[in-house]
Amino acid sequence: MTEMTEEKTAEKARIGTPSIPGLTEEGESLSPVEAVASPLGGAASKAHSHGGGYGIPDSSRAGRLTSYRLEDFPALKGTEEEWRFTPLKRLGGLHSAALDGAAPAVAVEGPDQVRVETVGRDDARIGSAGIPEDRVSANAWAHFTEATVVTVPAGAELAERVLVTLTGAGSAPAAQHLVVVAEQGSRAVVVLNHVGEAVVSENVEVVLEDGADLTLVTLQEWADTSVHASSQQVKVGRDAHLKHIVVSLGGSLVRMTPTARFAAPGGEVELYGLYFADAGQHLEHRTYVDHAQPNCVSNVLYKGALQGKDARAVWVGDVLIQKQAEGTDSYEKNQNLVLTDGCRADSVPNLEIETGLIEGAGHASATGRFDDEHLFYLMARGIPEDVARRLVVRGFLNEIIQKIGVQGIEDHLTEAVERELEAGEN
């Protein structure tokens, strides 16, 4: 953050010195307790059954239970806030079964500087970015036997993307664990491409050390019968920058829960998502940004299209601005385009603010059909209605595709969207 921003925040704090405890000219402090560090995992928290649970239980996103132990999480009923949109019968046992199936095979392609390791559960990097926040993630933690660690070395600026291909090994419920480390001052694009058939609960930990700049793209291009639950937790260091892009196209049920936590001031997080739900598909995305440090920036934008009977999309966006996170600038938005009858999109933006000393915070959500004016404009210029509709959808989703910045991947996704549109016309 700039020196000017820091001076402005300091001036706000001076002017807002409270005459009544907890109340300033900037607004009321909503935190009844002193600031508590975020649960970022690591060796210290492994000594305890719970690695967090800070905040106000049952009223704050920060108060959600976190634990490495499966037994700490009660059996799911489907009425819980974080599970009320998810059809538990379609989870393939990821919340209740022993995940003893073969995990998707991992293959890594990239520059020689990148280090790729297969490690055991006792590796110090396991648990360095986050702790399971729900029963499905904890079940994966309880059953994985080894993890893949991909490290971008300090100071490396990779011109070529790192491609991690995860190929499903069948329909037996399985657990998977990945760790991506962007060391200090590094710059890279890492792509996680999920293909084949699988029923898998996956924990992905991402560590951005100070000054790192990482673009992480996660593609869900599973076979139609696949079930995928992925908890992706990111720890963002001082002045680090994360661009996280989720693209969900394949699978019967996909549930992605990206979480970004600021571990030091000056960080920036961009969370983008694109999804296209066909008949019978359930695509669910739950984002969480924890502003636990001052002078950090976050921007969340997810866009989805739905077509076909019983196509279902769910987006829940949580942003928490803690008491100590002065100078925060945050915004989140979700947009859904319904292409046919019989679809359903749920969109729930949530924003918790515990200090008034921020640069800005907001959220937005919209779900609707085609804009008649857009269609009229195109058709008035001689473009047939079916072609005009496809052009509108392309333009709507292309905003996310262009965020990737890797031409080969952008071309691949543009073609994938075209196939989705063609399938809807058949």
Side-chain angles (χ1 to χ4, degrees):
M1 288 294 164
T2 65
E3 183 176 344
M4 183 178 297
T5 300
E6 293 175 350
E7 291 177 356
K8 189 192 306 182
T9 302
E11 178 66 10
K12 285 182 178 181
R14 183 189 65 78
I15 295 173
T17 301
S19 56
I20 301 175
L23 187 66
T24 77
E25 292 183 8
E26 301 293 337
E28 184 180 2
S29 171
L30 302 181
S31 280
V33 295
E34 294 299 317
V36 181
S38 300
L40 294 172
S45 57
K46 286 184 182 181
H48 308 282
S49 63
H50 298 286
Y54 67 105
I56 309 170
D58 301 324
S59 64
S60 170
R61 179 62 174 80
R64 184 167 297 179
L65 169 67
T66 61
S67 177
Y68 294 106
R69 303 196 315 170
L70 176 60
E71 55 268 31
D72 288 337
F73 294 91
L76 299 183
K77 299 178 181 179
T79 57
E80 302 86 352
E81 174 58 33
E82 65 267 34
W83 292 101
R84 64 189 179 97
F85 293 118
T86 309
L88 298 184
K89 292 181 179 180
R90 294 178 58 181
L91 265 180
L94 294 180
H95 61 306
S96 56
L99 307 183
D100 297 329
V106 181
V108 183
E109 304 173 20
D112 293 339
Q113 304 103 297
V114 177
R115 300 194 301 271
V116 181
E117 304 165 77
T118 300
V119 303
R121 298 175 58 93
D122 58 346
D123 189 277
R125 291 164 292 188
I126 305 297
S128 59
I131 303 167
E133 296 181 313
D134 60 52
R135 182 174 176 84
V136 172
S137 176
N139 200 21
W141 187 280
H143 288 96
F144 84 95
T145 56
E146 59 184 26
T148 300
V149 180
V150 178
T151 303
V152 182
E157 296 191 10
L158 305 184
E160 180 185 352
R161 57 93 181 103
V162 179
L163 176 61
V164 182
T165 302
L166 301 103
T167 304
S171 58
Q176 184 132 51
H177 204 104
L178 300 172
V179 181
V180 178
V181 179
E183 292 186 341
Q184 187 170 354
S186 63
R187 183 183 182 91
V189 176
V190 177
V191 181
L192 308 181
N193 190 22
H194 301 86
V195 296
E197 181 184 10
V199 176
V200 60
S201 179
E202 172 189 62
N203 285 316
V204 179
E205 298 186 69
V206 184
V207 178
L208 275 71
E209 295 184 357
D210 294 351
D213 188 338
L214 177 68
T215 296
L216 181 67
V217 184
T218 174
L219 310 179
Q220 285 60 247
E221 298 188 286
W222 296 108
D224 292 342
T225 56
S226 295
V227 177
H228 181 206
S230 183
S231 170
Q232 303 192 359
Q233 300 205 42
V234 187
K235 177 181 176 181
V236 183
R238 183 180 297 274
D239 298 325
H241 173 245
L242 169 73
K243 183 188 291 186
H244 184 280
I245 303 169
V246 171
V247 179
S248 297
L249 300 174
S252 172
L253 182 148
V254 173
R255 189 179 195 268
M256 310 290 293
T257 54
T259 293
R261 291 187 172 92
F262 293 102
E268 181 178 359
V269 166
E270 301 174 78
L271 303 183
Y272 300 115
L274 180 157
Y275 48 91
F276 202 126
D278 286 318
Q281 269 189 307
H282 181 99
L283 303 180
E284 183 168 345
H285 302 85
R286 291 173 171 264
T287 62
Y288 176 38
V289 181
D290 183 0
H291 281 272
Q293 297 288 335
N295 301 323
C296 293
V297 176
S298 68
N299 183 43
V300 180
L301 175 61
Y302 270 61
K303 286 189 166 190
L306 301 87
Q307 66 181 7
K309 187 177 185 305
D310 296 327
R312 179 78 180 274
V314 175
W315 177 84
V316 179
D318 287 307
V319 173
L320 170 65
I321 302 174
Q322 296 195 43
K323 180 180 179 180
Q324 68 272 22
E326 298 178 358
T328 290
D329 192 354
S330 176
Y331 192 77
E332 62 174 348
K333 180 167 70 171
N334 175 233
Q335 295 174 291
N336 296 289
L337 185 58
V338 177
L339 306 181
T340 64
D341 293 334
C343 306
R344 175 174 170 177
D346 293 282
S347 182
V348 185
N350 299 307
L351 181 60
E352 295 181 66
I353 306 174
E354 297 180 348
T355 176
L357 300 174
I358 62 175
E359 291 299 307
H363 57 201
S365 170
T367 299
R369 294 184 176 273
F370 284 101
D371 188 323
D372 291 336
E373 291 185 1
H374 288 171
L375 289 177
F376 176 79
Y377 177 87
L378 294 170
M379 293 172 65
R381 281 149 181 80
I383 299 175
E385 182 177 357
D386 60 336
V387 177
R389 287 179 177 272
R390 293 176 69 172
L391 287 173
V392 171
V393 177
R394 288 178 203 155
F396 176 71
L397 297 177
N398 197 52
E399 180 181 3
I400 302 298
I401 294 175
Q402 289 181 329
K403 300 289 187 182
I404 295 173
V406 179
Q407 190 62 49
I409 300 174
E410 291 182 1
D411 293 342
H412 171 75
L413 291 179
T414 299
E415 294 171 1
V417 169
E418 285 295 316
R419 290 194 297 271
E420 296 281 352
L421 289 169
E422 289 175 3
E425 295 175 354
N426 295 330

